[in-house]
Amino acid sequence: MNNKFKITEDNISAVMQFVLLGFSDLPNFQILLFMVFSIIYMVILVGNTLIIIITRLDNELQKPMYFFLQNFSYLEICYVSVILPRILFNLWTQDRSISLLDCATQMCFFLMLGTAECFLLAVMSYDRYVAICSPLHYPVVMNHKMCVQLALGSWVTGIPVQIGQTWQIFSLPFCNSNHIDHFFCDIPPILKLACGDTFVHEVSVYIVVMLVAAIPFMLILASYSKIICTILRLPTAKGRAKAFSTCSSHLLVVVLFFGSGTITYFRPKSNHSAGIDKLLSLFYTVVTPMFNPMIYSFRNKDVMAALKKIILKKVAL
Protein backbone atom coordinates (compact mmCIF):
# COMPACT_ATOMS: atom_id res chain seq x y z
CA MET A 1 0.00 0.00 0.00
CA ASN A 2 1.31 3.47 -0.92
CA ASN A 3 2.37 5.30 2.24
CA LYS A 4 0.27 8.24 1.15
CA PHE A 5 -2.79 6.23 2.22
CA LYS A 6 -3.68 3.83 5.00
CA ILE A 7 -6.51 1.34 5.41
CA THR A 8 -8.90 2.30 8.21
CA GLU A 9 -11.04 -0.07 10.28
CA ASP A 10 -13.87 0.48 7.79
CA ASN A 11 -11.59 -0.69 4.98
CA ILE A 12 -11.49 2.84 3.51
CA SER A 13 -8.32 4.23 1.99
CA ALA A 14 -7.54 7.30 4.13
CA VAL A 15 -5.16 10.08 3.09
CA MET A 16 -1.85 10.29 4.98
CA GLN A 17 -0.10 12.71 2.63
CA PHE A 18 -1.26 15.43 0.26
CA VAL A 19 0.05 16.62 -3.09
CA LEU A 20 -0.05 20.38 -3.75
CA LEU A 21 -0.75 20.63 -7.47
CA GLY A 22 0.02 24.34 -7.43
CA PHE A 23 0.99 25.45 -10.92
CA SER A 24 1.59 21.96 -12.32
CA ASP A 25 -0.87 22.74 -15.12
CA LEU A 26 1.79 25.10 -16.51
CA PRO A 27 4.71 22.65 -17.05
CA ASN A 28 6.56 24.91 -19.49
CA PHE A 29 6.61 27.86 -17.08
CA GLN A 30 8.00 26.26 -13.90
CA ILE A 31 11.41 27.99 -14.10
CA LEU A 32 9.82 31.31 -15.02
CA LEU A 33 7.35 31.03 -12.13
CA PHE A 34 10.21 30.17 -9.76
CA MET A 35 12.06 33.32 -10.84
CA VAL A 36 8.94 35.50 -10.58
CA PHE A 37 8.02 34.26 -7.09
CA SER A 38 11.66 34.54 -5.96
CA ILE A 39 11.73 38.19 -7.02
CA ILE A 40 8.37 38.84 -5.36
CA TYR A 41 9.57 37.22 -2.13
CA MET A 42 12.73 39.34 -2.12
CA VAL A 43 10.71 42.51 -2.79
CA ILE A 44 8.41 41.68 0.13
CA LEU A 45 11.27 40.89 2.51
CA VAL A 46 13.44 43.87 1.55
CA GLY A 47 10.56 46.37 1.27
CA ASN A 48 8.89 45.51 4.57
CA THR A 49 12.24 45.21 6.38
CA LEU A 50 13.13 48.67 5.10
CA ILE A 51 9.90 50.09 6.53
CA ILE A 52 10.66 48.47 9.90
CA ILE A 53 14.18 49.95 9.93
CA ILE A 54 13.04 53.43 8.87
CA THR A 55 10.22 53.62 11.44
CA ARG A 56 12.57 52.45 14.20
CA LEU A 57 15.51 54.74 13.40
CA ASP A 58 13.82 58.04 12.57
CA ASN A 59 12.82 60.06 15.64
CA GLU A 60 10.09 61.92 13.77
CA LEU A 61 8.33 58.62 13.02
CA GLN A 62 7.97 57.63 16.68
CA LYS A 63 4.19 57.98 16.46
CA PRO A 64 1.34 55.47 16.89
CA MET A 65 0.63 55.40 13.14
CA TYR A 66 4.18 54.22 12.37
CA PHE A 67 4.29 51.88 15.36
CA PHE A 68 1.33 50.02 13.85
CA LEU A 69 2.88 50.21 10.37
CA GLN A 70 6.02 48.61 11.81
CA ASN A 71 3.92 45.78 13.27
CA PHE A 72 2.06 45.42 9.98
CA SER A 73 5.28 45.12 7.98
CA TYR A 74 6.65 42.48 10.34
CA LEU A 75 3.33 40.63 10.10
CA GLU A 76 3.49 40.67 6.30
CA ILE A 77 6.98 39.11 6.37
CA CYS A 78 5.74 36.29 8.63
CA TYR A 79 2.55 35.88 6.59
CA VAL A 80 4.25 35.36 3.21
CA SER A 81 6.98 33.21 4.76
CA VAL A 82 4.33 30.63 5.60
CA ILE A 83 3.39 30.36 1.90
CA LEU A 84 6.11 31.45 -0.53
CA PRO A 85 9.08 29.26 0.57
CA ARG A 86 6.90 26.17 0.05
CA ILE A 87 5.84 27.40 -3.40
CA LEU A 88 9.49 27.99 -4.34
CA PHE A 89 10.49 24.55 -3.05
CA ASN A 90 7.73 22.85 -5.06
CA LEU A 91 8.63 24.74 -8.23
CA TRP A 92 12.36 24.06 -7.89
CA THR A 93 12.24 20.36 -6.92
CA GLN A 94 8.93 19.44 -8.58
CA ASP A 95 8.25 17.49 -5.36
CA ARG A 96 4.77 18.63 -4.46
CA SER A 97 4.05 16.18 -1.63
CA ILE A 98 3.29 17.52 1.84
CA SER A 99 2.53 15.50 4.96
CA LEU A 100 -0.77 15.79 6.81
CA LEU A 101 1.00 17.42 9.78
CA ASP A 102 2.92 19.91 7.62
CA CYS A 103 -0.27 20.83 5.77
CA ALA A 104 -2.16 21.37 9.03
CA THR A 105 0.73 23.43 10.43
CA GLN A 106 0.88 25.62 7.33
CA MET A 107 -2.87 26.20 7.41
CA CYS A 108 -2.87 26.98 11.14
CA PHE A 109 -0.11 29.62 10.90
CA PHE A 110 -1.65 31.06 7.74
CA LEU A 111 -5.04 31.45 9.46
CA MET A 112 -3.55 32.86 12.68
CA LEU A 113 -1.49 35.45 10.82
CA GLY A 114 -4.40 36.26 8.50
CA THR A 115 -6.60 36.88 11.56
CA ALA A 116 -3.89 39.08 13.08
CA GLU A 117 -3.81 41.11 9.85
CA CYS A 118 -7.59 41.63 9.93
CA PHE A 119 -7.48 42.96 13.49
CA LEU A 120 -4.34 45.03 12.93
CA LEU A 121 -5.94 46.73 9.91
CA ALA A 122 -8.94 47.53 12.13
CA VAL A 123 -6.62 48.94 14.81
CA MET A 124 -4.85 51.08 12.21
CA SER A 125 -8.19 52.48 11.05
CA TYR A 126 -9.12 53.27 14.67
CA ASP A 127 -5.80 55.11 15.05
CA ARG A 128 -6.62 57.25 12.01
CA TYR A 129 -10.15 57.83 13.34
CA VAL A 130 -8.86 59.21 16.65
CA ALA A 131 -6.14 61.28 14.92
CA ILE A 132 -8.56 62.96 12.51
CA CYS A 133 -11.83 63.06 14.45
CA SER A 134 -10.41 63.79 17.94
CA PRO A 135 -6.98 65.35 17.37
CA LEU A 136 -6.85 67.04 20.79
CA HIS A 137 -7.43 63.74 22.60
CA TYR A 138 -5.13 61.73 20.30
CA PRO A 139 -1.95 61.82 22.46
CA VAL A 140 -3.94 60.74 25.52
CA VAL A 141 -6.06 58.03 23.88
CA MET A 142 -3.29 56.53 21.73
CA ASN A 143 -0.58 56.50 24.37
CA HIS A 144 2.27 53.98 24.20
CA LYS A 145 0.62 51.52 26.59
CA MET A 146 -2.61 51.53 24.58
CA CYS A 147 -0.71 51.05 21.31
CA VAL A 148 1.19 48.04 22.69
CA GLN A 149 -2.04 46.50 24.03
CA LEU A 150 -3.87 46.96 20.72
CA ALA A 151 -0.96 45.52 18.71
CA LEU A 152 -0.54 42.56 21.09
CA GLY A 153 -4.28 41.91 21.04
CA SER A 154 -4.23 41.82 17.23
CA TRP A 155 -1.41 39.25 17.23
CA VAL A 156 -2.85 36.84 19.82
CA THR A 157 -6.65 37.07 19.43
CA GLY A 158 -6.89 34.60 16.57
CA ILE A 159 -4.51 31.97 17.97
CA PRO A 160 -6.98 29.82 19.99
CA VAL A 161 -9.76 30.27 17.41
CA GLN A 162 -7.64 29.19 14.43
CA ILE A 163 -5.97 26.31 16.27
CA GLY A 164 -9.48 25.03 17.01
CA GLN A 165 -10.63 25.52 13.42
CA THR A 166 -7.56 23.75 12.02
CA TRP A 167 -8.06 20.82 14.38
CA GLN A 168 -11.75 20.61 13.38
CA ILE A 169 -10.98 20.57 9.64
CA PHE A 170 -8.16 18.03 9.88
CA SER A 171 -10.26 15.75 12.09
CA LEU A 172 -12.40 15.12 8.99
CA PRO A 173 -11.78 11.88 7.06
CA PHE A 174 -9.98 12.43 3.75
CA CYS A 175 -10.29 9.60 1.29
CA ASN A 176 -9.80 8.54 -2.33
CA SER A 177 -7.96 11.68 -3.50
CA ASN A 178 -4.98 13.41 -1.94
CA HIS A 179 -4.47 16.05 -4.64
CA ILE A 180 -4.96 19.65 -3.44
CA ASP A 181 -5.61 21.82 -6.47
CA HIS A 182 -3.95 24.84 -4.87
CA PHE A 183 -0.47 26.18 -4.11
CA PHE A 184 -0.86 26.00 -0.32
CA CYS A 185 -3.07 24.34 2.30
CA ASP A 186 -6.13 26.59 2.42
CA ILE A 187 -9.59 25.77 3.78
CA PRO A 188 -11.68 25.63 0.54
CA PRO A 189 -9.48 23.12 -1.37
CA ILE A 190 -9.00 20.98 1.78
CA LEU A 191 -12.75 20.77 2.40
CA LYS A 192 -13.19 19.57 -1.19
CA LEU A 193 -11.19 16.43 -0.34
CA ALA A 194 -13.19 15.56 2.77
CA CYS A 195 -15.48 12.54 2.71
CA GLY A 196 -19.17 12.81 3.45
CA ASP A 197 -21.23 15.87 4.31
CA THR A 198 -19.16 18.93 5.25
CA PHE A 199 -22.10 21.33 5.69
CA VAL A 200 -21.56 21.74 9.44
CA HIS A 201 -17.87 22.48 8.87
CA GLU A 202 -18.69 25.01 6.14
CA VAL A 203 -21.08 26.79 8.51
CA SER A 204 -18.35 26.74 11.17
CA VAL A 205 -15.93 28.35 8.70
CA TYR A 206 -18.47 31.08 7.90
CA ILE A 207 -18.99 31.81 11.61
CA VAL A 208 -15.24 32.06 12.24
CA VAL A 209 -14.80 34.30 9.18
CA MET A 210 -17.60 36.54 10.49
CA LEU A 211 -15.81 36.83 13.84
CA VAL A 212 -12.25 37.37 12.63
CA ALA A 213 -12.80 39.15 9.30
CA ALA A 214 -16.30 40.59 8.92
CA ILE A 215 -16.36 42.26 12.36
CA PRO A 216 -12.97 43.99 11.87
CA PHE A 217 -14.10 45.03 8.39
CA MET A 218 -17.30 46.56 9.81
CA LEU A 219 -15.20 48.44 12.39
CA ILE A 220 -13.01 49.74 9.56
CA LEU A 221 -16.09 50.90 7.62
CA ALA A 222 -17.48 52.62 10.74
CA SER A 223 -14.14 54.37 11.35
CA TYR A 224 -13.84 55.56 7.77
CA SER A 225 -17.44 56.76 7.59
CA LYS A 226 -16.66 59.02 10.57
CA ILE A 227 -13.31 60.02 9.06
CA ILE A 228 -14.85 60.96 5.69
CA CYS A 229 -17.58 63.02 7.37
CA THR A 230 -14.93 64.87 9.40
CA ILE A 231 -12.71 65.46 6.36
CA LEU A 232 -15.61 66.87 4.33
CA ARG A 233 -16.29 69.40 7.10
CA LEU A 234 -12.73 70.77 6.99
CA PRO A 235 -12.73 74.41 5.78
CA THR A 236 -9.89 74.22 3.22
CA ALA A 237 -9.19 71.94 0.27
CA LYS A 238 -5.55 71.66 1.38
CA GLY A 239 -6.63 70.44 4.81
CA ARG A 240 -8.98 67.88 3.26
CA ALA A 241 -6.26 66.61 0.90
CA LYS A 242 -3.72 66.27 3.73
CA ALA A 243 -6.18 64.41 5.98
CA PHE A 244 -7.26 62.05 3.22
CA SER A 245 -3.65 61.32 2.19
CA THR A 246 -2.94 59.83 5.63
CA CYS A 247 -5.80 57.36 5.14
CA SER A 248 -5.72 56.50 1.44
CA SER A 249 -2.78 54.09 1.69
CA HIS A 250 -4.39 52.10 4.48
CA LEU A 251 -7.75 52.09 2.70
CA LEU A 252 -6.16 50.68 -0.48
CA VAL A 253 -4.57 47.80 1.46
CA VAL A 254 -7.92 47.10 3.17
CA VAL A 255 -9.76 46.85 -0.17
CA LEU A 256 -7.15 44.49 -1.67
CA PHE A 257 -6.93 42.21 1.36
CA PHE A 258 -10.56 42.01 2.47
CA GLY A 259 -12.03 42.05 -1.04
CA SER A 260 -10.19 38.96 -2.29
CA GLY A 261 -10.40 37.12 1.05
CA THR A 262 -14.15 37.66 1.47
CA ILE A 263 -14.98 36.34 -2.01
CA THR A 264 -12.87 33.22 -1.35
CA TYR A 265 -14.28 32.26 2.04
CA PHE A 266 -17.92 33.28 1.70
CA ARG A 267 -18.64 31.26 -1.44
CA PRO A 268 -20.22 27.81 -0.94
CA LYS A 269 -17.93 24.83 -1.57
CA SER A 270 -19.97 23.85 -4.65
CA ASN A 271 -19.21 27.25 -6.25
CA HIS A 272 -15.45 27.09 -5.78
CA SER A 273 -13.32 26.96 -8.91
CA ALA A 274 -9.66 25.99 -8.48
CA GLY A 275 -8.48 28.60 -10.99
CA ILE A 276 -10.45 31.45 -9.41
CA ASP A 277 -9.44 30.36 -5.90
CA LYS A 278 -5.74 30.44 -6.87
CA LEU A 279 -6.11 33.88 -8.49
CA LEU A 280 -7.93 35.35 -5.48
CA SER A 281 -5.50 33.74 -3.05
CA LEU A 282 -2.59 35.38 -4.86
CA PHE A 283 -4.08 38.77 -3.98
CA TYR A 284 -4.27 38.27 -0.21
CA THR A 285 -1.13 36.11 0.12
CA VAL A 286 1.28 37.72 -2.35
CA VAL A 287 0.00 40.90 -4.05
CA THR A 288 -0.99 42.83 -0.90
CA PRO A 289 2.28 42.10 0.98
CA MET A 290 4.26 43.00 -2.16
CA PHE A 291 2.52 46.36 -2.63
CA ASN A 292 2.47 47.21 1.08
CA PRO A 293 5.96 48.82 1.09
CA MET A 294 5.22 50.71 -2.14
CA ILE A 295 1.83 51.94 -0.93
CA TYR A 296 3.09 53.06 2.48
CA SER A 297 6.43 54.52 1.34
CA PHE A 298 5.92 56.18 -2.04
CA ARG A 299 2.56 57.61 -0.94
CA ASN A 300 3.87 58.82 2.43
CA LYS A 301 5.99 61.99 2.50
CA ASP A 302 7.23 61.37 6.07
CA VAL A 303 8.52 57.88 5.24
CA MET A 304 10.20 59.11 2.03
CA ALA A 305 11.80 62.02 3.91
CA ALA A 306 13.08 59.64 6.60
CA LEU A 307 14.47 57.29 3.92
CA LYS A 308 16.30 60.15 2.18
CA LYS A 309 17.68 61.28 5.54
CA ILE A 310 19.06 57.81 6.29
CA ILE A 311 20.58 57.48 2.79
CA LEU A 312 22.24 60.91 3.00
CA LYS A 313 23.62 60.06 6.43
CA LYS A 314 25.12 56.82 5.10
CA VAL A 315 26.58 58.59 2.06
CA ALA A 316 28.14 61.27 4.30
CA LEU A 317 29.90 58.55 6.29
Side-chain angles (χ1 to χ4, degrees):
M1 169 64 69
N2 191 322
N3 61 7
K4 295 179 182 179
F5 299 87
K6 74 172 182 179
I7 301 297
T8 66
E9 293 178 359
D10 299 322
N11 203 31
I12 297 174
S13 181
V15 172
M16 295 297 292
Q17 191 177 52
F18 291 113
V19 176
L20 288 166
L21 296 180
F23 303 98
S24 58
D25 55 338
L26 301 169
N28 298 325
F29 296 94
Q30 299 297 292
I31 296 175
L32 177 62
L33 287 170
F34 178 83
M35 293 173 63
V36 169
F37 280 114
S38 295
I39 294 169
I40 289 173
Y41 192 36
M42 289 303 298
V43 168
I44 292 169
L45 292 180
V46 173
N48 284 286
T49 301
L50 196 58
I51 286 180
I52 293 170
I53 293 170
I54 293 169
T55 53
R56 285 183 70 89
L57 292 181
D58 194 277
N59 291 329
E60 293 183 12
L61 300 184
Q62 304 309 305
K63 303 172 184 177
M65 175 182 175
Y66 298 106
F67 171 76
F68 293 127
L69 177 57
Q70 187 182 130
N71 271 267
F72 188 68
S73 294
Y74 182 65
L75 177 61
E76 293 287 60
I77 291 172
C78 297
Y79 187 64
V80 297
S81 294
V82 173
I83 307 296
L84 276 176
R86 187 82 204 189
I87 294 175
L88 293 173
F89 174 81
N90 292 348
L91 288 169
W92 182 256
T93 65
Q94 295 299 301
D95 177 10
R96 298 185 176 88
S97 61
I98 182 170
S99 70
L100 202 68
L101 178 60
D102 287 348
C103 190
T105 302
Q106 185 187 53
M107 178 188 284
C108 188
F109 275 98
F110 165 73
L111 293 176
M112 287 191 298
L113 292 168
T115 300
E117 184 157 344
C118 291
F119 281 104
L120 192 55
L121 285 170
V123 166
M124 292 169 78
S125 70
Y126 175 70
D127 170 70
R128 292 298 83 209
Y129 160 73
V130 178
I132 293 172
C133 300
S134 303
L136 297 178
H137 297 98
Y138 183 65
V140 178
V141 176
M142 300 304 291
N143 56 70
H144 181 69
K145 183 180 179 181
M146 175 60 75
C147 291
V148 171
Q149 289 175 341
L150 288 171
L152 185 61
S154 299
W155 279 92
V156 304
T157 299
I159 293 176
V161 176
Q162 298 300 2
I163 288 176
Q165 179 163 251
T166 302
W167 176 84
Q168 184 188 44
I169 289 172
F170 278 87
S171 64
L172 286 166
F174 300 101
C175 52
N176 300 324
S177 176
N178 68 332
H179 288 73
I180 301 173
D181 197 359
H182 213 307
F183 52 85
F184 72 100
C185 294
D186 200 2
I187 293 176
I190 293 291
L191 281 178
K192 275 188 174 182
L193 303 182
C195 301
D197 187 10
T198 60
F199 175 76
V200 173
H201 294 83
E202 288 185 62
V203 172
S204 174
V205 170
Y206 293 149
I207 292 171
V208 171
V209 171
M210 288 294 292
L211 290 172
V212 305
I215 291 176
F217 185 64
M218 294 302 291
L219 292 173
I220 291 170
L221 287 180
S223 295
Y224 273 103
S225 64
K226 293 283 188 179
I227 288 170
I228 291 170
C229 290
T230 302
I231 289 174
L232 292 176
R233 287 200 297 267
L234 292 175
T236 63
K238 185 178 179 180
R240 289 193 293 270
K242 184 178 179 180
F244 186 72
S245 68
T246 64
C247 304
S248 58
S249 300
H250 177 253
L251 199 55
L252 182 57
V253 172
V254 167
V255 170
L256 283 171
F257 181 77
F258 279 98
S260 54
T262 299
I263 295 171
T264 299
Y265 286 97
F266 274 110
R267 284 184 299 152
K269 186 177 75 169
S270 57
N271 291 345
H272 279 275
S273 162
I276 294 175
D277 281 349
K278 289 178 189 177
L279 182 62
L280 290 171
S281 297
L282 282 173
F283 273 93
Y284 60 80
T285 59
V286 176
V287 175
T288 302
M290 181 178 66
F291 283 113
N292 174 42
M294 303 177 198
I295 291 170
Y296 280 110
S297 58
F298 295 139
R299 293 175 60 86
N300 190 301
K301 294 179 181 179
D302 292 337
V303 173
M304 289 302 294
L307 178 60
K308 289 176 183 177
K309 193 188 302 181
I310 292 171
I311 293 172
L312 290 173
K313 191 180 293 184
K314 292 294 182 184
V315 170
L317 293 175

